Amino acid sequence: MAKAKVKKEESKKLVIVESPSKAKTINKYLGSDYVVLASKGHLIDLPKSKLGVDLEKNFEPQYIPIRGKASIIKELKKAAQKSSAVYLAADPDREGEAIGWHIRNFLTTMETVPTIYRLRLNEITKPAIEEAIKSPSEVDLNMVNAQQARRVLDRLVGYGISPLLWKNIRRGLSAGRVQSVALRLIYEREKEIENFKPVEYWSLEADFLMEDGRVIRTKLAKVDGEKPELKTQADTQALIDRIKSADFKVSAVLHREKSKKPPMPFTTSKLQQEAYKQLRFGARKTMSIAQGLYEGVEIGESGPVGLITYMRTDSKRVSPEAKAEAAKFIQQTYGEKYLAQGERDTSSKQKIQDAHEAIRPTSAFRTPEQVKTYLTPEQFKLYKLIWEDFMASQMASAVYRETSVEIGGNNVVFRASGTETLFDGYTKVYEEAADEEKESQGEGEEAEVVNPNKLSGITEGQKAAWKEPMPEQHFTQPPPRYTDASMVKTLEEMGIGRPSTYAPTLETIQARHYVKKENGRFFLAELGNLVLGLLMKNFPKILDYEFTAKMESELDQVESGEQEWRKVIGDFYAPFKDTLAEAEKLMGEEKSKIEVVTDIPCEKCGQMMIVKWGRHGKFLACSKYPECQNTKSLKETTDGSIQVDTDTKTDEKCPKCGADMVVKMGRFGKFLACSKYPECKTAKPISLGIKCPLGCGGEVVSRGSRRGVFYGCNKYPDCKFISWYKPVNRPCPQCASPYLVDKYLKTLGPHIACPNKECDYKEFPKQEATAAEAAPAS
């Protein structure tokens, strides 16, 4: 801990966290001797305007205060000067450690410095906070250095490669270590699908009439003692012909008892996977909701309460206290037999940071139904998922009896199987979702053919009469495109990224328009294909899976003190620098391939137009730019040829010159412009067809500003109506507000809400609708 210079008098103690909601929760548990303030995230970082890493001084980071954070730094210094001690209580991960380290550094420059401690809170509850205050620690410099190494590494890669993409494609593009590898995964899956050749195969089911009159449906299991391979209809028909006159009888009745272990408590990766499969929450949305549950939710008169433990973890470990409380709840609620027997192995084959626990509720007795009224619908769904998974993980295995009846004739065996539950165990509370990827490939568990009760009483040797064959043609399926769940699972299995990076990685490749999402699956966009092609050709090592995983492992070694962070950066940068220099030469040649010269002449200067990339996609520009700045929208025909996309004319006339107004596409979407542009520069927004809510007779239009799209009245400035959310043309059923708004909040997702601050009316899309979304950091 940083030692204090002697203060004249004892005063209050200062606790600094990064989030206002977290500050509110902690403040409830601490007495009047404490002041809790929020840094609102990082305060110090590398500058945006330059590299910010001194390559001549062993990669020394050139940190500066983040723009707009000077007042917070001033407030924290002022509060620290009045305090006898400062507790740095940012999140217990590398980013939180770095936030605390930077705060400690600027506080130690003051004339009077209080004693500075580090608090790591795995959960925000009264016992956890009191225990942390009793046994504070110091800032962990190894964790800080691991964060610095990642930050510097990503800055060197991003600021090295991104300008080359700007020169060759367009400004605003980015390349990063993990995001580029994630993009490669999607690209390679796209290629697998393109190159896939479906293969025909057949299955065969048959009904058998038993001696007692019952009919059992079976599946073909063996032919001549081997697993059957029916490749064509002819193969199938030949088999049917072979056995249609055979004498069938029951050749085996098999009973097998098996148990199914409960799931492990959630890690970050597993939470994101299950939240997608069961709730259709994207990775970013899941983490945003989980952050709120961790930092604290208002629970009636109790005030804010942290409902779950820290949500960025790759550990499956559970504290003895949490296990004991869960056991007590299970025993009281379900009975002794539902308690798990013995300790489970929570170790991992991969190297993990085991300082945290798994993700769990902070109290087993705080059931989802008890807190439902205090949570948003999406908070409730995620909390319920976490609570049920944790409780199930502490319960006994489920036990099943599997019965199989084999009916054979002419050396061909058909099988009927059924499973009955002997003891439901943990499934009384929770079951994991099926693996969608395996199911799409026909690799899921074989479905139950018959009710097990229908197989009772059947014994070996009983005769069975062949009734009707049911052959069915199938074709092998291409591998499915990635979802949030399968992407996170793949990145984790490959050792690429860490709990804190999965969600931002997926958000970045979508925000850059490298991929698009359809029905919850990632499709490679044309821009992503173009960017990846350049990267794979010029920076193959950056996109190498093993190299990326090795870098992640070395960052872990920095955190554990096994590696020195500057050496890790140095070993990477030396070859990267040479690759970067070579790429600058070669990528100049690529520009001519990207900016395709068309046979469309510029109507202003006669030079040929070329295809360029802009913020909204491809467009035509004069090849004589900057002397001639003529541009046109383009469209591609089905045969791949480029044509000028003529502006859509409207019935509206220009109020200045009388020419037709046409629909154009701009930074903030479609708008109306005079067809005589640039001679006449009249432009106006397009009406949304919604009457102004203020009743002035105008209509709502979308407008653009530096902050993005907003909505206002077309009679501005006479009418001052403005909304950052798109108005919905129907009144609020609760307070009779003349309109509602279409909103999206990270904690709530998409929903319709009342704009009246005194009204809490909200409506959410049905679950089926969110499933299509499947559900934006560098």
Side-chain angles (χ1 to χ4, degrees), residues 180-188 532 536 543-545:
S180 299
V181 171
L183 188 61
R184 180 186 170 186
L185 282 169
I186 295 169
Y187 166 84
E188 290 182 344
L532 192 68
M536 290 182 72
L543 275 80
D544 182 78
Y545 297 135

Side-chain angles (χ1 to χ4, degrees), residues 210 212 214-217 450-458:
M210 309 307 292
D212 59 3
R214 76 180 97 175
V215 176
I216 296 176
R217 179 157 297 180
V450 295
N451 186 313
N453 294 328
K454 215 170 184 184
L455 302 178
S456 64
I458 296 177

Side-chain angles (χ1 to χ4, degrees), residues 238-341:
L239 181 65
I240 293 172
D241 292 340
R242 168 181 164 179
I243 59 179
K244 70 167 94 176
S245 59
D247 293 325
F248 282 94
K249 65 180 181 179
V250 177
S251 57
V253 178
L254 308 171
H255 299 285
R256 184 167 67 108
E257 194 171 294
K258 61 180 184 179
S259 63
K260 187 177 180 182
K261 291 181 179 180
M264 286 290 191
F266 282 146
T267 61
T268 300
S269 166
K270 195 64 177 175
L271 172 63
Q272 291 174 357
Q273 292 173 53
E274 288 299 306
Y276 174 79
K277 288 188 284 188
Q278 299 203 36
L279 307 176
R280 286 303 189 242
F281 288 177
R284 187 71 172 187
K285 182 175 182 178
T286 297
M287 296 309 291
S288 177
I289 298 170
Q291 182 87 37
L293 295 175
Y294 163 71
E295 292 181 347
V297 176
E298 293 279 350
I299 304 297
E301 295 179 0
S302 301
V305 176
L307 294 181
I308 65 170
T309 55
Y310 192 57
M311 63 286 159
R312 294 186 184 92
T313 176
D314 47 15
S315 173
K316 299 171 186 173
R317 185 176 59 81
V318 177
S319 71
E321 295 80 10
K323 287 181 181 179
E325 187 188 46
K328 184 178 179 181
F329 178 89
I330 293 165
Q331 192 170 13
Q332 291 179 3
T333 308
Y334 306 112
E336 185 83 27
K337 64 181 180 179
Y338 282 92
L339 280 173
Q341 301 300 315

Side-chain angles (χ1 to χ4, degrees), residues 603-636:
E603 73 272 23
K604 293 187 177 181
C605 71
Q607 296 293 316
M608 291 298 158
M609 304 288 278
I610 61 174
V611 177
K612 293 179 76 73
W613 279 86
R615 185 182 298 271
H616 305 290
K618 293 190 288 189
F619 66 97
L620 290 170
C622 182
S623 57
K624 207 176 178 181
Y625 177 88
E627 288 82 6
C628 178
Q629 300 187 13
N630 187 26
T631 62
K632 294 282 184 183
S633 298
L634 64 78
K635 61 181 178 182
E636 295 181 73

Side-chain angles (χ1 to χ4, degrees), residues 625-726:
Y625 177 88
E627 288 82 6
C628 178
Q629 300 187 13
N630 187 26
T631 62
K632 294 282 184 183
S633 298
L634 64 78
K635 61 181 178 182
E636 295 181 73
T637 61
T638 53
D639 63 2
S641 60
I642 304 294
Q643 296 180 357
V644 175
D645 188 10
T646 54
D647 298 323
T648 304
K649 290 186 178 180
T650 68
D651 296 332
E652 195 168 341
K653 300 296 181 182
C654 175
K656 290 187 178 179
C657 70
D660 291 327
M661 297 291 282
V662 296
V663 178
K664 287 184 172 289
M665 177 63 76
R667 179 181 176 187
F668 302 107
K670 293 181 178 181
F671 67 98
L672 292 175
C674 180
S675 58
K676 285 193 174 182
Y677 179 87
E679 289 81 10
C680 178
K681 297 183 179 180
T682 300
K684 58 188 294 189
I686 296 175
S687 171
L688 300 180
I690 300 173
K691 295 295 182 183
C692 176
L694 299 186
C696 70
E699 293 188 338
V700 177
V701 296
S702 62
R703 300 181 182 274
S705 73
R706 290 183 178 180
R707 289 179 58 189
V709 175
F710 69 95
Y711 302 89
C713 181
N714 64 355
K715 288 197 171 185
Y716 178 86
D718 296 327
C719 178
K720 305 294 186 184
F721 170 75
I722 186 173
S723 172
W724 286 105
Y725 301 105
K726 186 176 181 178

Side-chain angles (χ1 to χ4, degrees), residues 572-587:
F572 164 81
Y573 187 70
F576 176 70
K577 182 181 178 182
D578 295 337
T579 305
L580 198 61
E582 187 66 23
E584 287 184 26
K585 299 174 186 176
L586 296 177
M587 286 180 74

